[in-house]
Amino acid sequence: MRSIVSDTYIILSFLVIVLLPQRVLAQSDTTSRYMLMPLIFETQQAPFDDVTAQSCDSCGVKFDMGWLENVVQQRHRVNDARYRLMIENPDIVKFNESRLPKPPKEVVVEIDPSATELQVEAQKVDGEKFKPVDRREIKVHNWLHTLVGSLHGTQAYISNNWYQGGENNLNLLADVQWDCNLNQKLHPNWLFNNTLHYRLGVATAKGDSLRNYCINEDNFQFSSQLGYKAVKNWYYSASLLFKTQLLKNYVTNTHDLAASFLSSGELNVGLGMTYDYKDKDGYKMFNLSIAPLSYNLKICRDIDHIDPTKFGIDAGKHTKHSFGSTVEMKFEWKITPSISWKTRLYAFTDYEYVQGDWENTFSFSVNSFLSTQIFTHLRYDKSRPWVENWKYWQFKEILSFGLTYKFATK
């Protein structure tokens, strides 16, 4: 019975090929070979489950579609004959698409004259051509470090006979920031961010008869956030902020101190919630910390030379303790590969007075090492003495150009 079916299949295949138009067979020489291949069940087919020839009058291009119609008809006849044979005689279908046998191994046949026999061996792979891949151990960092340092400045030289007058001046601004954050890809339920930041600005002081330079920026700041995930991007968190001045600064043309180390200093500790978001591409970062339970400590170490009331501390006191609420928002946006914006908004209140800072830094990169920065700092502190022009507001703006270097671990 099996031989009869096989003979029927060969005869049917031959008749289908003979019945095909001669012009089509000339175009497709592979038809006969395809018809005589072993039957392999691929998948369930629907009627006319194939490409159909369609006209293209709507596109305005005129071309002959006869060749495509002939090829499609030829393919339909071949598929129909093979598929009908498989359905009517499933016992002659040895394999389906998912159970095909493994291809035979490549062998090498060698003649052994002494033994008058053929030796068949598997083909050997040359190890020199296929060297093993150099497997390098991937280092996993639990802590991600980012160090950014910059030295910017402005300089002007004016001759003593310049028709408009003026004075020589030199301004330098050094900025160092170190971020040490817990890798959230390895610890998704934890948030632990630490930042150490120091800014120092020095400028020539032509108007000061006692000194050749003055300090116009001296800010040492350390901040830390520790949180445990509550839901999505929200964390139960504890925050800490400490800032002070490191160097001594004097009032112009006097020996009176304006500020020094821990004069003033400030410490803030709070408990609350933190929202932390970073996009996948690393272009945007948003961090919002709300601490309804917050403790604030103001320090003036040298009350013998500095008036503590300038920092909101009672006269004759070294410290002032306050309890209230704190809000801090940080946002970073890499607008283009060469332009970025960083902003920080901080506010504390003990429900009697309010103090806040709003810092903005716009960076314009010339290349990997040169950049221009615009830094603005708007401050409001109701605990300080009232001034007629600015009242409780204070403002600082710095435009600088210079060197910038960034190092980061990934």
Side-chain angles (χ1 to χ4, degrees):
M1 180 65 183
R2 185 177 183 87
S3 60
I4 297 176
V5 174
S6 301
D7 295 340
T8 304
Y9 165 65
I10 295 174
I11 295 172
L12 179 61
S13 302
F14 178 78
L15 291 176
V16 171
I17 297 172
V18 172
L19 293 175
L20 290 176
Q22 295 299 323
R23 185 164 60 92
V24 175
L25 288 177
Q27 295 175 353
S28 179
D29 188 40
T30 62
T31 304
S32 58
R33 294 196 298 269
Y34 181 72
M35 285 293 301
L36 297 176
M37 288 176 60
L39 294 175
I40 300 175
F41 181 78
E42 298 175 357
T43 182
Q44 180 69 32
Q45 295 185 6
F48 305 104
D49 185 12
D50 210 330
V51 180
T52 57
Q54 296 180 357
S55 61
C56 190
D57 298 335
S58 59
C59 61
V61 180
K62 295 182 178 180
F63 50 87
D64 184 14
M65 296 291 292
W67 66 271
L68 180 59
E69 293 178 356
N70 292 333
V71 172
V72 171
Q73 292 176 6
Q74 174 190 358
R75 184 169 180 179
H76 277 313
R77 285 192 291 266
V78 172
N79 288 344
D80 183 67
R82 290 174 56 85
Y83 193 65
R84 187 181 300 278
L85 184 62
M86 286 189 288
I87 294 176
E88 295 178 354
N89 304 276
D91 56 324
I92 66 173
V93 183
K94 296 182 179 180
F95 306 106
N96 58 32
E97 190 177 19
S98 61
R99 295 183 179 181
L100 288 175
K102 294 183 179 180
K105 296 182 179 180
E106 295 185 3
V107 296
V108 178
V109 181
E110 296 181 355
I111 302 175
D112 187 1
S114 60
T116 64
E117 61 182 13
L118 299 178
Q119 294 181 353
V120 180
E121 296 180 356
Q123 187 175 7
K124 297 181 180 180
V125 179
D126 189 358
E128 295 182 357
K129 295 182 179 180
F130 302 94
K131 295 182 179 180
V133 179
D134 184 13
R135 296 183 179 180
R136 297 183 180 180
E137 183 179 355
I138 300 176
K139 295 182 179 180
V140 179
H141 299 281
N142 288 312
W143 296 93
L144 302 179
H145 301 269
T146 303
L147 178 63
V148 181
S150 63
L151 180 62
H152 288 198
T154 60
Q155 183 270 338
Y157 173 79
I158 302 174
S159 64
N160 53 12
N161 63 342
W162 184 252
Y163 76 103
Q164 290 180 328
E167 295 180 344
N168 303 336
N169 64 81
L170 175 65
N171 298 275
L172 294 176
L173 177 64
D175 189 300
V176 179
Q177 180 171 325
W178 175 40
D179 295 319
C180 181
N181 303 329
L182 187 66
N183 191 343
Q184 288 189 288
K185 292 184 178 179
L186 301 179
H187 309 277
N189 293 326
W190 288 95
L191 175 71
F192 197 7
N193 298 332
N194 303 277
T195 300
L196 186 65
H197 189 198
Y198 182 60
R199 292 173 63 91
L200 177 63
V202 180
T204 55
K206 293 293 183 179
D208 194 335
S209 58
L210 300 177
R211 285 164 288 274
N212 295 324
Y213 67 90
C214 66
I215 297 176
N216 55 16
E217 180 80 12
D218 187 4
N219 185 23
F220 175 85
Q221 182 171 296
F222 173 75
S223 62
S224 179
Q225 282 183 344
L226 175 63
Y228 184 77
K229 178 169 286 188
V231 57
K232 291 187 178 180
N233 293 348
W234 285 96
Y235 298 81
Y236 304 107
S237 63
S239 59
L240 181 145
L241 174 65
F242 172 74
K243 57 183 179 180
T244 184
Q245 178 164 322
L246 298 184
L247 305 178
K248 293 182 179 181
N249 199 9
Y250 295 89
V251 180
T252 304
N253 293 320
T254 69
H255 293 284
D256 299 335
L257 277 175
S260 65
F261 178 65
L262 291 180
S263 299
S264 63
E266 190 169 344
L267 173 67
N268 184 279
V269 180
L271 296 174
M273 298 286 291
T274 296
Y275 180 85
D276 187 76
Y277 169 78
K278 297 177 184 177
D279 65 347
K280 296 181 179 179
D281 299 327
Y283 292 128
K284 294 181 182 179
M285 186 279 291
F286 179 77
N287 184 279
L288 174 64
S289 179
I290 304 173
L293 300 177
S294 183
Y295 165 73
N296 193 77
L297 172 64
K298 290 185 176 181
I299 306 171
C300 182
R301 180 183 59 86
D302 192 0
I303 62 175
D304 296 331
H305 302 92
I306 301 176
D307 183 9
T309 59
K310 296 193 307 179
F311 311 122
I313 302 174
D314 297 336
K317 301 290 185 180
H318 288 279
T319 59
K320 182 177 181 179
H321 306 271
S322 302
F323 294 91
S325 301
T326 303
V327 176
E328 184 177 25
M329 183 274 292
K330 297 178 183 178
F331 178 69
E332 297 182 12
W333 181 18
K334 193 172 183 180
I335 304 173
T336 68
S338 59
I339 301 176
S340 62
W341 171 41
K342 294 172 58 177
T343 184
R344 172 181 175 267
L345 181 63
Y346 171 86
F348 169 79
T349 178
D350 67 349
Y351 309 109
E352 291 184 1
Y353 80 95
V354 178
Q355 72 177 60
D357 295 272
W358 186 23
E359 303 174 4
N360 290 276
T361 303
F362 296 90
S363 299
F364 306 87
S365 299
V366 179
N367 54 36
S368 300
F369 301 101
L370 295 177
S371 66
T372 298
Q373 285 189 352
I374 300 176
F375 173 74
T376 64
H377 188 174
L378 180 64
R379 179 177 173 84
Y380 180 86
D381 191 350
K382 200 173 181 180
S383 65
R384 296 175 63 88
W386 185 84
V387 180
E388 183 177 356
N389 294 333
W390 286 92
K391 299 177 182 173
Y392 297 111
W393 293 93
Q394 305 167 46
F395 182 72
K396 177 186 292 186
E397 183 268 332
I398 300 175
L399 172 63
S400 60
F401 173 81
L403 300 173
T404 299
Y405 178 77
K406 180 178 180 180
F407 170 79
T409 58
K410 298 182 180 179

